[in-house]
Amino acid sequence: MTKELQDFLDYLKNQRNYSQDTIASYTYDIEKFYTYINHEGILLDDVTSDIIRNFLSIELTHHIKKVSCQRRIASLRHFYNYLLETNVVKNNPFTLIDGPKKERRLPEVLFKEQIHLLFEANKQRNDELAPRDQAILELLYASGLRASELVNLLISSVDYRNRVVRIFGKERKERMVPFSKECQQCLDNYVKNIRPTLLNKNIEFAKEKHLFLNANGRKLTSRGLEYILKQIEIKCALPFALHPHMLRHSFATHLLSGGADLRLIQELLGHENINTTSIYTHVTNESVKRDFLNAHPRAKKH
């Protein structure tokens, strides 16, 4: 890793308060570009628009998704802005570069009936980790948390009396998000009856302050959360292809279809830009269309 890149990553961590996951993405994207220009014998200050376009062409040839290419360009644009401000380079060649247009994919969501089926099916489990998993499901859906936000929650972040949770999202931006009474009961059951048992499995981590723990009593990770959701699906025999963002998307979509204001949903999700939140209007429109085609006698296929 070059000094310029290390300085930039330190800047993201210490001054911008970026999460470890975000910093890891920046590292991967920028090192990918470094590999390309080093192979071509190109210096940072010699990068041009043509060189960038050639880099993107190679990425697409290797079947890298357009959305990943978009992210690479955004990471490198930010990196070069930093290099420009610190007088490492004389210009930012990424300023006028747009990544390949990505296909607009609507978020995957569960129907309300599927959410109910999932929660009820998980309640029927009688293994040790079932209450923890139920608390995770309830909180993801009740508050629309990102995976990274859930795994980094501290016990002190949860206000049980007022049923709100204190979240530090992207760039450590704080927000308060409410949760349901059902979620409150599940969290209370997990904290009082399951978490102490998990904590005792690893004395080294006996003072662990994070809310959710894995089966070994350690802090849960984003990868671990994905594994838990897959196991829930297997144990409940439900073909939903569960992942953390599916419950976040379902939370937002169901709020919108229930009449919640888009600005409120933006605040609850922690979106900086309302345009990011507006994609859920397309999801609900698609749902309306689908319900219409299924229900209207003149719309059905014969």
Side-chain angles (χ1 to χ4, degrees):
M1 182 180 294
T2 66
K3 181 181 183 302
E4 292 84 6
L5 177 54
Q6 185 59 62
D7 288 346
F8 175 62
L9 298 178
D10 290 341
Y11 160 76
L12 295 181
K13 178 182 178 181
N14 299 322
Q15 296 189 41
R16 298 298 299 273
N17 293 318
Y18 279 22
S19 70
Q20 287 299 321
D21 289 341
T22 302
I23 292 173
S25 295
Y26 269 93
T27 305
Y28 182 80
D29 292 338
I30 297 169
E31 287 188 333
K32 199 89 183 290
F33 187 67
Y34 261 117
T35 300
Y36 167 70
I37 61 174
N38 287 339
H39 182 266
E40 298 294 324
I42 301 167
L43 300 177
L44 283 173
D45 214 13
D46 293 333
V47 172
T48 64
S49 298
D50 288 339
I51 290 170
I52 297 170
R53 292 190 181 95
N54 191 49
F55 168 69
L56 289 175
S57 296
I58 293 173
E59 291 285 276
L60 293 171
T61 301
H62 286 87
H63 306 293
I64 302 301
K65 293 181 179 179
K66 292 181 179 180
V67 64
S68 297
C69 289
Q70 287 275 12
R71 191 191 71 192
R72 301 229 201 294
I73 295 302
S75 298
L76 287 160
R77 185 182 295 119
H78 193 176
F79 178 49
Y80 262 82
N81 277 337
Y82 173 80
L83 296 179
L84 191 60
E85 291 173 2
T86 53
N87 298 315
V88 175
V89 298
K90 297 177 181 177
N91 63 81
N92 185 349
F94 289 89
T95 302
L96 301 177
I97 294 290
D98 291 323
K101 292 185 178 180
K102 58 184 179 181
E103 302 86 356
R104 189 177 180 89
R105 295 179 58 189
L106 296 180
E108 295 179 281
V109 301
L110 294 173
F111 296 124
K112 294 176 184 178
E113 295 78 9
Q114 290 175 311
I115 289 287
H116 177 74
L117 179 62
L118 170 63
F119 286 15
E120 290 303 310
N122 196 68
K123 283 181 182 178
Q124 303 307 312
R125 289 170 50 195
N126 53 18
D127 57 280
E128 178 189 51
L129 296 176
R132 180 205 62 184
D133 295 353
Q134 189 73 10
I136 287 174
L137 288 175
E138 287 282 359
L139 190 55
L140 283 173
Y141 179 64
S143 300
L145 306 187
R146 299 178 177 95
S148 60
E149 293 171 346
L150 182 126
V151 301
N152 287 314
L153 272 181
L154 302 178
I155 293 181
S156 58
S157 301
V158 183
D159 181 345
Y160 291 94
R161 167 176 280 185
N162 296 306
R163 297 211 307 270
V164 293
V165 60
R166 184 186 185 195
I167 306 296
F168 288 97
K170 292 185 175 180
E171 299 187 36
R172 299 292 295 168
K173 290 182 179 178
E174 182 182 352
R175 69 186 192 276
M176 302 295 286
V177 183
F179 55 85
S180 65
K181 189 171 184 179
E182 181 76 14
C183 180
Q184 177 190 40
Q185 294 170 349
C186 290
L187 285 171
D188 189 57
N189 180 34
Y190 160 68
V191 170
K192 289 181 179 178
N193 302 317
I194 308 302
R195 191 177 182 278
T197 302
L198 296 177
L199 211 54
N200 287 335
K201 292 185 177 182
N202 197 325
I203 299 177
E204 178 185 352
F205 291 85
K207 295 183 179 180
E208 176 59 66
K209 296 181 179 180
H210 286 90
L211 177 60
F212 288 109
L213 307 177
N214 64 21
N216 297 316
R218 296 171 180 255
K219 173 186 177 295
L220 194 60
T221 64
S222 295
R223 186 64 60 87
L225 176 59
E226 292 174 5
Y227 174 79
I228 287 171
L229 293 182
K230 288 181 181 178
Q231 288 301 304
I232 290 174
E233 189 174 10
I234 292 171
K235 292 174 182 178
C236 295
L238 296 172
F240 291 161
L242 284 177
H243 58 81
H245 261 60
M246 180 180 283
L247 291 165
R248 176 173 164 86
H249 294 325
S250 300
F251 160 84
T253 303
H254 296 165
L255 277 179
L256 190 60
S257 63
D261 182 78
L262 198 61
R263 291 287 181 184
L264 169 64
I265 298 172
Q266 176 192 6
E267 183 177 340
L268 293 175
L269 291 175
H271 285 163
E272 185 172 343
N273 194 318
I274 191 68
N275 291 333
T276 307
T277 317
S278 66
I279 191 172
Y280 296 108
T281 62
H282 296 282
V283 177
T284 52
N285 288 341
E286 286 295 315
S287 299
V288 169
K289 181 179 178 181
R290 182 179 53 250
D291 291 343
F292 168 78
L293 293 174
N294 288 333
H296 196 288
R298 297 290 293 177
K300 293 180 180 179
K301 293 182 180 179
H302 297 283

